[in-house]
Amino acid sequence: MTQLFGRNADRKLRRGAALVVVLAVSVLLFGYFRVRSDSYWHVGIAREQPVPFNHKLHVQGLKMECGYCHTGATSMAGAGMPSAQNCLTCHSEIWRGVPALEPLHTSAELGTPIPWNSVIWFPDHARFHHGSHIAAGVACSTCHGDVGAMTETSAAVRLTMDFCVDCHEDAMAETGARGSAVTALPAAAFLQRKGSASPAAEGMDPPASHQDGRSLTDCSVCHY
């Protein structure tokens, strides 16, 4: 009977299996480190905007508060982006006729929102409520970095699950609230840890969705 496999068949099979394992592990490792890289989370990468906006000029130079443009930050899930009407409060008179500001006038005339390009990437399977974090005294710079010093806005940190969980665990450890409700986090502890206050943080209560007794490390706090 003719031999189906040669003398080296077993050796080749073992080498092939080993190669498949090595490739699989390599792909997994590449994916693991890729999703934890700055480039994946757009850290330090400024995106082109329909209207050039210099945060440093407006924040440090003109002393504007974050909440003036991001009106939803203190009470809503999304912080919101400035509308044309918001910008034209000043720019209907200041720098009027400058080509770079033409999208503001077009947006106002057509009643359409300005197509700002977000510099923060956040996964769809997680949720973040700006209002609840502001109410707890978390400074904007904790997640966004020192935006007020940026001439071109970019992401400052990787908003991974590790980043969020570490912050939640630190908050509970420092307030002695481990395992207790989300609402058990006094703003003063956050302010002391982060070193700077958030606008309108004092006297605010978390939204109803964060007053149901869940622990800060409960999966459902961040995941639907």
Side-chain angles (χ1 to χ4, degrees):
M1 181 177 180
T2 305
Q3 187 173 358
L4 295 178
F5 301 101
R7 295 181 178 180
N8 296 326
D10 184 66
R11 183 182 305 169
K12 292 179 180 180
L13 178 62
R14 292 177 184 272
R15 289 178 177 176
L19 180 60
V20 170
V21 171
V22 169
L23 288 175
V25 172
S26 298
V27 170
L28 291 174
L29 287 175
F30 174 81
Y32 178 84
F33 288 107
R34 173 75 178 111
V35 299
R36 283 162 175 75
S37 66
D38 286 348
S39 60
Y40 183 83
W41 292 90
H42 304 162
V43 174
I45 301 174
R47 299 189 64 185
E48 184 177 356
Q49 301 294 344
V51 179
F53 186 89
N54 186 328
H55 272 89
K56 185 176 182 179
L57 171 64
H58 289 78
V59 176
Q60 294 187 3
L62 302 176
K63 308 301 180 183
M64 292 176 62
E65 295 287 345
C66 302
Y68 183 80
C69 294
H70 304 288
T71 56
T74 58
S75 59
M76 301 175 65
M81 298 296 286
S83 65
Q85 291 74 16
N86 197 246
C87 299
L88 289 173
T89 300
C90 297
H91 286 294
S92 59
E93 300 295 335
I94 301 173
W95 286 8
R96 185 175 181 85
V98 175
L101 300 183
E102 188 59 32
L104 296 180
H105 301 283
T106 301
S107 175
E109 292 171 2
L110 298 178
T112 57
I114 302 172
W116 299 106
N117 293 313
S118 176
V119 299
I120 302 294
W121 181 83
F122 201 71
D124 292 336
H125 62 271
R127 59 183 172 185
F128 181 92
H129 197 290
H130 279 83
S132 64
H133 287 78
I134 293 293
V138 180
C140 301
S141 59
T142 300
C143 299
H144 295 289
D146 189 4
V147 177
M150 298 181 185
T151 55
E152 291 187 310
T153 313
S154 62
V157 299
R158 299 187 299 272
L159 297 178
T160 62
M161 188 169 73
D162 290 341
F163 177 86
C164 298
V165 171
D166 286 346
C167 192
H168 282 198
E169 289 180 341
D170 287 347
M172 291 193 296
E174 293 183 20
T175 60
R178 183 171 297 279
S180 61
V182 172
T183 52
L185 296 169
F190 279 90
L191 299 180
Q192 183 179 11
R193 182 175 78 254
K194 301 305 178 185
S196 59
S198 303
E202 297 183 1
M204 290 189 60
D205 293 324
S209 61
H210 282 61
Q211 298 185 44
D212 52 13
R214 288 175 291 170
S215 167
L216 276 176
T217 52
D218 190 305
C219 298
S220 65
V221 169
C222 299
H223 298 286
Y224 295 96

